[in-house]
Amino acid sequence: MAKATAVKPKGATFITPSAPATQKAVVRKNDDYTSDGVEDNDVFLLPVSDYNVMAVVTIVGAIVRLYRIYQPTSVVFDEVHFGGFASKYIKGRFFMDVHPPLAKMLIALVGWLAGFNGDFDFKDIGKDYLEPGVPYVAMRLFPAVCGILLVPIMFLTLKAAGCRTATAALGSSLIIFENGLLTQARLILLDSPLVLATAFTALAFTSFTNQHEQGPTKAFQASWWFWLVMTGLGLGTTFSIKWVGLFTIAWVGSLTLVQLWVLLGDTRTVTMRIFAKHFLARIFCLIIIPATFYMAMFGIHFLCLSNPGEGDGFMSSEFQATLNNKGMQDVPADVAFGSRVSIRHVNTQGGYLHSHPLMYPGGSQQQQITLYPHKDENNLWLLENQTQPLDINGEPINGTNAWDTVSNITENYIKDGDVLRLYHQPTHRRLHSHDVRPPVTEAEWQNEVSAYGYEGFAGDANDLFRVEIIKKQSIGSLAKERLRTIETKFRLVHIMTGCVLFSHKVKLPDWASEQQEVTCAKGGTLPNSVWYVEFNEHPQFGPDAEKVNYVRPGFFAKFWELQQVMWRTNAGLVESHAWDSRPDSWPILRRGINFWGKENRQIYLIGNPVVWWSSTLAVVLYVLFKGVAVLRWQRSCKDYDNANFKRFDYEIGTSVLGWALHYFPFYLMQRQLFLHHYFPALYFAVIAFCQIYDFVTARFPIPGIRGNPIINKAGAVALLAVSAAVFALLSPLAYGNAWTKTECSRVKLFNTWDWDCNTFLDSYEAYDQQTSINAKIAQTSQPVIDNKAAPPPPVQEPPQQAQNPQVPPNGAEGAAGISGAPQLQQDGQKVIGREERVEYRDQDGNLLNEEQVRALEGKVEFKTRYETRTRVVDAAGNEVPGAEVPVAPPHPDVEGVDSSTKQIPKVDDPIADAEKKNVIKSKDGEKEKEQEKPKPASEGNEATAQNA
């Protein structure tokens, strides 16, 4: 099959390859929008030899990607999140993530097809896969296949751009031997599918551009339509994996506007009717198709996650009502004095006004008021009038239940402007505020909100709040006049100080289980001071009382709400991370990411310096070229009359634009950023490097070079050899292979390449000895496990915290190894097992035995975090010190700490200290009032556990 010949546009004159280099081209403007110097580079019409070369490099890529893909046999870096999401998809439990669902659903599908039942939680880096029988290799195969497919797509993209076969093979090989892309493609992560989708979009749009630039003869032909539709599907796929697909959309959109602008200037062949066809074709393929695909992925996402899960707290009650068993029963519509209600915050994902029998460690030291995202009995409040009801004799009826027996309930409906008190029935205290600064937001315009009083206490004036209905946000005429469940949005104005009940995303410290802060704000913003009643009951409401419920949202309402929550959560990922980096360090490969460390091996994400630096150099060269070209154009130089000059500027500029649009937007982000965010930009930079190389060695009329194909091939081989050699030197960090300290130190060129060479052993023989010892241990030893610690007393916790983490059995390394604790040999001692126990201590650090733990049940709250102390013992039963080996810190890419949260320094506090010892004692209310000492509330009630 012969290669397609150049198409000579009407009115143009080309220089043939045999013409002298000094001869100047005389190029006349085309009569239509056909581009100068363009060839038909249809990738379906390549010579068979090109397909053979592509097949060879793809096979090499498969070998490199699949080599020891089972290694390591434990959780690595973000497999914690994306493997965990696969478990939730299989179980159908709703979760919230900042990324769209496509790649996560495909990972879950592969795992399900491989027999994964979703029981493994991927909770910690280093957690063993083999003992619970997780099909992790099959789940890793999906990103690996994506990494393999990236190789032929790069080859075809360069061929579609008009590069020679040797150049296309070079570009594919640079992808194969790029260590960073290899590391991402061997693990259960999203970046390999993302880069593949970006690359496919680049291939499709490059092929479409090639068809478009050949002029009116190619417009609306089958190939033209095919590549335009494929571009739209590529955009939808990319955007459905990660939101950085918006950068790819911006790239395609920018170049599409250029195309439409050129079409608009062709007044000879492009009538307004034809221009409208071009415009509408692009609207349909590049906007409607991607948007439809994106929403369809969320439709599948909602179908899969039909059960309640840990992501419920992020969503509105209307959204939660669509989940199985989460729908709320109809509740009375009208709210009266004596109603037992739960009050929700309109903003900040709608937490409940909440209290529990724990005191503030500072300030008034009264009982805490927080915002809590889950339904709980500690969310219930009794609404009281500021005066007691009167009996038939006109005497006040005492007691908090006085309103239960009123004769005419309609006279006691709570109206706009009514003054009330909120009585917390579980602890017998009332909602209270005073001129004391809050525990975290220590601003003058913020007052502390607490729960104050005791059973039988009449209360004081600081318990009084006025109902102020927000009429614009309330639904229906009645809801604008009186308090109605769900329908009425209102503020609670403190009578004594004029401040309004307020909450924001600021979280309280550990002593309040990191629940959300509630304050009383003077001039607080409206969204953060608006509330509504969700649950409502009253003894006087009969079965015929008017009922209301949430209006269940349809697909589009759920879709839009989830997009808003994803956006807010993504923007909140501002907390620093041990391995984050900023965009200015990415093109020069300043540092990487520590993924995993165990058994004297390490996985560290670092790119191939040859690939990164050469691609960065290509971008710099083009920027310099463009600057000079613009200056010469301004001086009326005729550079752009040369077809090769124009093609170089447009083709390289297209790739550099893709690099820039996938790189510079990260400078605008304040969230956590990592080296792997640069991968899509790196792909475009590699394309630019290969295009520059092809122009220099094959397309510019340089004497002795363009006419000699061996130079193009020899240069490609030399660059490939150098990149492969550097790849091999750094490959132990990608594969997690054995490595020596000497070899590690030799390739560590910069201090910012911060993997730890001390992790590795001195020689490969030491690894062989370690393997031999472990094998003998596996054959002759039984694991030593002492797990006699008493189980925690039953406490009501969210589902994901209530499950005991599985403790894998000890013994041989590999199949039965404990995460993060390698088999060691110290002072001639052979390690035969590990001993793990959960310890419970009091506030003074004293170890509690089983009887003491049982005696404390119901009197204290156990914050069970299953923090274990790992002991390694030798054959004689002696403890081996220093057996712990740290693993890479987790990557908190789900929910970050809000930027407005003030970090409180550590203080010597008995509550905080007790929290650290896994036991929290409820502190008595010592300061209820100076004049009147309150009776302490019952300490039998436990504080509600915080959902992580």
Side-chain angles (χ1 to χ4, degrees):
M1 182 181 297
K3 183 177 180 180
T5 58
V7 176
K8 179 178 179 181
K10 185 182 298 183
T13 302
F14 294 153
I15 301 175
T16 61
S18 60
T22 56
Q23 180 180 345
K24 294 184 178 180
V26 180
V27 181
R28 297 192 304 271
K29 292 292 183 182
N30 290 305
D31 294 333
D32 53 36
Y33 62 87
T34 303
S35 297
D36 299 331
V38 68
E39 298 181 0
D40 187 0
N41 299 315
D42 192 339
V43 296
F44 291 118
L45 301 177
L46 297 177
V48 175
S49 59
D50 283 355
Y51 294 123
N52 291 337
V53 173
M54 184 179 71
V56 170
V57 294
T58 302
I59 292 172
V60 174
I63 294 172
V64 172
R65 294 292 186 269
L66 298 178
Y67 174 70
R68 293 184 176 179
I69 196 172
Y70 57 85
Q71 182 176 281
T73 60
S74 56
V75 178
V76 179
F77 197 53
D78 271 1
E79 289 185 335
V80 167
H81 298 308
F82 304 121
F85 294 151
S87 299
K88 294 176 178 63
Y89 272 119
I90 293 173
K91 295 292 187 180
R93 295 172 180 165
F94 183 80
F95 66 90
M96 211 297 296
D97 182 41
V98 296
H99 302 303
L102 175 57
K104 295 176 292 189
M105 290 192 299
L106 291 174
I107 291 172
L109 176 62
V110 172
W112 179 74
L113 292 174
F116 182 42
N117 60 8
D119 288 338
F120 188 79
D121 59 11
F122 296 86
K123 185 178 180 181
D124 301 304
I125 292 176
K127 190 170 183 178
D128 182 60
Y129 281 136
L130 296 180
E131 190 275 333
V134 181
Y136 72 101
V137 173
M139 299 173 73
R140 287 178 179 173
L141 277 176
F142 170 67
V145 170
C146 292
I148 295 169
L149 293 177
L150 195 63
V151 176
I153 286 181
M154 171 63 87
F155 184 93
L156 294 175
T157 302
L158 292 174
K159 292 300 296 183
C163 295
R164 288 190 176 182
T165 301
T167 304
L170 171 64
S172 300
S173 300
L174 293 179
I175 295 299
I176 293 172
F177 297 116
E178 208 300 291
N179 299 68
L181 291 174
L182 168 68
T183 305
Q184 291 290 116
R186 292 171 48 81
L187 303 169
I188 307 172
L189 306 175
L190 302 188
D191 292 278
S192 185
L194 172 69
V195 177
L196 175 65
T198 305
F200 176 79
T201 306
L203 168 63
F205 190 70
T206 301
S207 297
F208 169 75
T209 300
N210 179 254
Q211 298 297 304
H212 164 79
E213 288 189 311
Q214 294 177 62
T217 58
K218 288 286 187 177
F220 306 110
Q221 298 298 315
S223 182
W224 188 95
W225 275 112
F226 175 79
W227 288 116
L228 185 60
V229 171
M230 289 300 102
T231 302
L233 288 175
L235 291 175
T237 302
T238 307
F239 192 41
S240 298
I241 294 174
K242 279 190 176 183
W243 274 357
V244 293
L246 279 172
F247 306 154
T248 311
I249 293 175
W251 177 67
V252 171
S254 300
L255 296 175
T256 299
L257 291 176
V258 172
Q259 293 177 359
L260 292 173
W261 182 254
V262 172
L263 286 168
L264 194 62
D266 183 0
T267 57
R268 191 183 72 85
T269 62
V270 180
T271 64
M272 291 309 298
R273 177 176 175 274
I274 294 177
F275 180 82
K277 287 179 62 178
H278 278 277
F279 182 79
L280 292 176
R282 287 164 171 82
I283 290 291
F284 176 77
C285 293
L286 303 182
I287 296 180
I288 295 179
I289 288 179
T292 303
F293 185 90
Y294 180 75
M295 289 190 289
M297 293 305 101
F298 277 92
I300 300 173
H301 176 76
F302 292 145
L303 289 175
C304 293
L305 303 181
S306 58
N307 299 319
E310 65 182 25
D312 297 358
F314 289 91
M315 313 309 298
S316 68
S317 293
E318 291 89 344
F319 189 105
Q320 294 181 38
T322 64
L323 302 175
N324 295 336
N325 303 320
K326 288 287 283 189
M328 186 178 71
Q329 293 183 351
D330 294 346
V331 292
D334 288 301
V335 181
F337 291 112
S339 288
R340 283 76 169 171
V341 300
S342 63
I343 301 175
R344 295 202 72 169
H345 196 231
V346 171
N347 209 13
T348 65
Q349 283 88 43
Y352 293 92
L353 186 65
H354 177 91
S355 187
H356 45 231
L358 293 177
M359 307 301 160
Y360 290 120
S364 67
Q365 296 192 1
Q366 294 173 5
Q367 185 169 295
Q368 299 170 11
I369 297 292
T370 64
L371 208 66
Y372 182 66
H374 301 282
K375 294 182 179 180
D376 185 270
E377 65 176 5
N378 283 322
N379 301 336
L380 294 181
W381 300 86
L382 173 65
L383 302 183
E384 300 177 320
N385 199 347
Q386 55 183 325
T387 59
Q388 292 294 106
L390 303 179
D391 60 16
I392 57 176
N393 300 319
E395 297 294 329
I397 305 174
N398 295 322
T400 56
N401 297 326
W403 298 97
D404 296 353
T405 59
V406 292
S407 58
N408 191 352
I409 190 66
T410 59
E411 295 180 358
N412 293 295
Y413 288 157
I414 300 176
K415 298 176 292 296
D416 187 22
D418 282 354
V419 177
L420 50 71
R421 299 179 296 177
L422 288 85
Y423 182 79
H424 191 245
Q425 285 191 302
T427 60
H428 307 290
R429 291 185 168 102
R430 291 181 178 89
L431 191 71
H432 185 87
S433 187
H434 40 218
D435 190 15
V436 176
R437 299 290 75 75
V440 174
T441 308
E442 298 176 353
E444 288 297 323
W445 57 279
Q446 297 265 36
N447 289 341
E448 179 192 84
V449 174
S450 63
Y452 168 69
Y454 54 88
E455 188 172 4
F457 177 62
D460 65 15
N462 280 326
D463 300 340
L464 300 178
F465 290 84
R466 184 178 71 252
V467 176
E468 183 180 285
I469 293 178
I470 311 297
K471 293 180 172 55
K472 291 183 178 180
Q473 298 186 29
S474 300
I475 304 172
S477 57
L478 287 178
K480 294 177 172 60
E481 299 174 359
R482 64 175 186 253
L483 210 56
R484 300 261 296 178
T485 306
I486 296 176
E487 298 173 352
T488 301
K489 304 300 185 293
F490 61 91
R491 302 203 302 172
L492 290 174
V493 183
H494 191 242
I495 295 297
M496 296 297 292
T497 61
C499 60
V500 294
L501 196 65
F502 178 92
S503 184
H504 46 178
K505 287 186 177 181
V506 173
K507 291 184 179 180
L508 296 171
D510 289 346
W511 46 258
S513 301
E514 296 185 355
Q515 295 178 20
Q516 208 162 299
E517 183 185 47
V518 174
T519 66
C520 196
K522 301 173 184 176
T525 58
L526 187 66
N528 286 334
S529 58
V530 179
W531 307 79
Y532 70 95
V533 173
E534 180 186 82
F535 172 79
N536 175 28
E537 66 176 5
H538 194 291
Q540 294 297 313
F541 289 147
D544 297 331
E546 181 185 358
K547 302 291 182 66
V548 294
N549 207 330
Y550 287 111
V551 178
R552 293 197 175 192
F555 167 76
F556 289 104
K558 291 173 61 179
F559 170 81
W560 180 241
E561 179 182 342
L562 184 55
Q563 304 308 300
Q564 293 175 304
V565 173
M566 290 167 60
W567 178 267
R568 289 194 299 265
T569 307
N570 197 18
L573 296 174
V574 295
E575 190 178 22
S576 62
H577 187 273
W579 300 101
D580 61 8
S581 56
R582 301 312 299 173
D584 59 306
S585 68
W586 298 342
I588 59 175
L589 197 62
R590 187 174 184 270
R591 74 177 303 210
I593 312 171
N594 186 22
F595 271 19
W596 176 88
K598 189 177 177 182
E599 303 166 2
N600 300 108
R601 303 165 192 255
Q602 190 172 6
I603 293 180
Y604 184 96
L605 180 82
I606 191 71
N608 187 325
V610 173
V611 179
W612 286 62
W613 295 340
S614 61
S615 62
T616 301
L617 177 63
V619 173
V620 173
L621 288 176
Y622 175 77
V623 172
L624 294 175
F625 158 82
K626 189 65 177 179
V628 173
V630 170
L631 291 176
R632 287 177 58 82
W633 172 79
Q634 184 67 15
R635 296 295 297 171
S636 299
C637 296
K638 303 300 182 181
D639 296 328
Y640 283 95
D641 288 345
N642 184 282
N644 277 332
F645 190 93
K646 290 177 66 175
R647 296 310 304 170
F648 180 88
D649 183 39
Y650 180 76
E651 292 178 14
I652 312 301
T654 296
S655 299
V656 172
L657 178 65
W659 170 86
L661 290 176
H662 286 81
Y663 173 62
F664 286 113
F666 286 107
Y667 281 94
L668 304 177
M669 300 182 187
Q670 300 303 315
R671 59 150 289 170
Q672 296 169 351
L673 295 174
F674 298 87
L675 182 65
H676 60 72
H677 287 116
Y678 184 69
F679 284 146
L682 174 68
Y683 184 83
F684 282 98
V686 172
I687 293 177
F689 171 77
C690 293
Q691 288 175 311
I692 292 176
Y693 174 81
D694 195 74
F695 268 96
V696 171
T697 61
R699 300 174 69 175
F700 283 151
I702 302 176
I705 295 181
R706 187 172 72 172
N708 189 2
I710 193 65
I711 294 178
N712 175 263
K713 297 177 181 177
V717 171
L719 287 170
L720 172 59
V722 174
S723 62
V726 174
F727 165 82
L729 290 175
L730 294 172
S731 62
L733 291 174
Y735 290 115
N737 287 341
W739 213 16
T740 66
K741 294 178 180 178
T742 302
E743 292 178 351
C744 173
S745 301
R746 187 169 63 246
V747 301
K748 192 174 183 180
L749 301 180
F750 308 102
N751 292 331
T752 55
W753 290 2
D754 47 0
W755 63 80
D756 186 7
C757 289
N758 292 322
T759 298
F760 306 101
L761 299 179
D762 294 324
S763 65
Y764 291 107
E765 290 75 13
Y767 285 98
D768 295 336
Q769 294 174 4
Q770 186 183 64
T771 302
S772 176
I773 292 173
N774 291 339
K776 292 179 181 179
I777 292 172
Q779 295 175 0
T780 62
S781 303
Q782 295 295 327
V784 178
I785 299 180
D786 187 357
N787 216 357
K788 298 178 181 179
V795 296
Q796 185 175 359
E797 293 184 343
Q800 68 275 18
Q801 290 187 348
Q803 296 177 355
N804 292 351
Q806 297 177 0
V807 179
N810 304 300
E813 255 330 272
I818 298 298
S819 299
Q823 296 287 355
L824 302 176
Q825 185 180 19
Q826 299 182 1
D827 301 328
Q829 297 170 323
K830 296 181 179 180
V831 180
I832 62 171
R834 298 171 179 81
E835 180 181 7
E836 296 191 5
R837 76 170 69 227
V838 180
E839 296 178 349
Y840 300 93
R841 298 176 182 268
D842 62 16
Q843 68 273 18
D844 299 319
N846 300 317
L847 186 65
L848 303 179
N849 58 33
E850 183 176 350
E851 290 75 13
Q852 290 171 319
V853 171
R854 290 178 178 174
L856 288 172
E857 182 178 350
K859 298 180 181 179
V860 300
E861 179 189 5
F862 288 80
K863 296 295 293 182
T864 308
R865 296 181 180 175
Y866 301 96
E867 298 175 354
T868 63
R869 185 171 73 94
T870 302
R871 297 176 60 237
V872 181
V873 297
D874 59 18
N878 300 316
E879 181 175 349
V880 180
E884 298 276 5
V885 173
V887 298
H891 175 194
D893 201 11
V894 178
E895 181 187 8
V897 177
D898 188 79
S899 58
S900 57
T901 299
K902 180 178 178 181
Q903 300 298 320
I904 295 183
K906 298 292 184 180
V907 296
D908 293 332
D909 180 74
I911 297 179
D913 291 340
E915 161 85 359
K916 296 175 185 177
K917 306 295 189 302
N918 290 337
V919 178
I920 297 181
K921 289 189 176 181
S922 297
K923 184 177 180 179
D924 294 344
E926 299 170 352
K927 283 189 174 181
E928 293 294 346
K929 196 176 181 181
E930 289 292 334
Q931 301 90 340
E932 203 171 346
K933 297 289 184 181
K935 178 181 179 181
S938 170
E939 300 298 332
N941 294 330
E942 297 176 347
T944 305
Q946 151 68 339
N947 180 28

